[in-house]
Amino acid sequence: MDLAKLVIERGLHTGFDEERGAYVVDIRRCREYLDQVLTCREVLDTHVVEAIPSSKVSRVFVLRLDPLQLRERLSSRGYPERKIRENVEAEVLGVVLADAISHFGEEKICEVDTTNLSVDEVVQVILDALTREEVPRNLRPGSVDWLTKYHNLLLSDKNFLKYLL
């Protein structure tokens, strides 16, 4: 279930943000709607984790992508520069991961670095993790760390920071 499409189809938004080219999710109304329709068997696609009723969630997969690849991907899709910058900043800092941990609890969270994986490989990682009672060690929160990876480049090359953000 693509939450962005659902928000548009059901009018679960407060309006459209022209600068970001995106609808603004009405968190309360969205959560109330999902609480009524979810059966705990759905797969939801969203980064707006606070709109999901935590009681309806058994496992959360936070898909991470190298910020340089994320920038290229969003740019190739024609996203506005402000939205690209905000998404890259959020990825570098792990904002969605932090929100997911805060909202659902660390024990439900799997963090998957999708950078060098095909869609089929990502699906297989998810399916394998779902067969286990506990989150596999290599998927526990904190397994992806872009700040450490790019720390030296951020310190030594001011142009890299401008490119990244």
Side-chain angles (χ1 to χ4, degrees), residues 18 25 28 37 58 65 83 85 99 117 145 148 158:
E18 294 290 338
V25 177
R28 182 190 55 77
V37 300
S58 58
L65 181 65
K83 187 170 183 172
R85 187 176 60 252
D99 289 348
L117 301 177
D145 182 2
T148 298
K158 293 182 191 318

Side-chain angles (χ1 to χ4, degrees), residues 98-150:
D99 289 348
I101 291 169
S102 175
H103 188 67
F104 298 111
E106 191 170 339
E107 65 282 351
K108 291 183 179 181
I109 309 296
C110 292
E111 184 179 20
V112 182
D113 181 357
T114 66
T115 301
N116 296 310
L117 301 177
S118 68
V119 173
D120 288 341
E121 290 170 324
V122 173
V123 169
Q124 192 57 57
V125 167
I126 291 170
L127 291 174
D128 289 346
L130 288 172
T131 64
R132 300 179 184 205
E133 279 191 42
E134 293 184 12
V135 172
R137 180 169 300 218
N138 65 321
L139 299 180
R140 289 184 183 153
S143 60
V144 178
D145 182 2
W146 304 128
L147 285 175
T148 298
K149 178 176 181 179
Y150 290 117

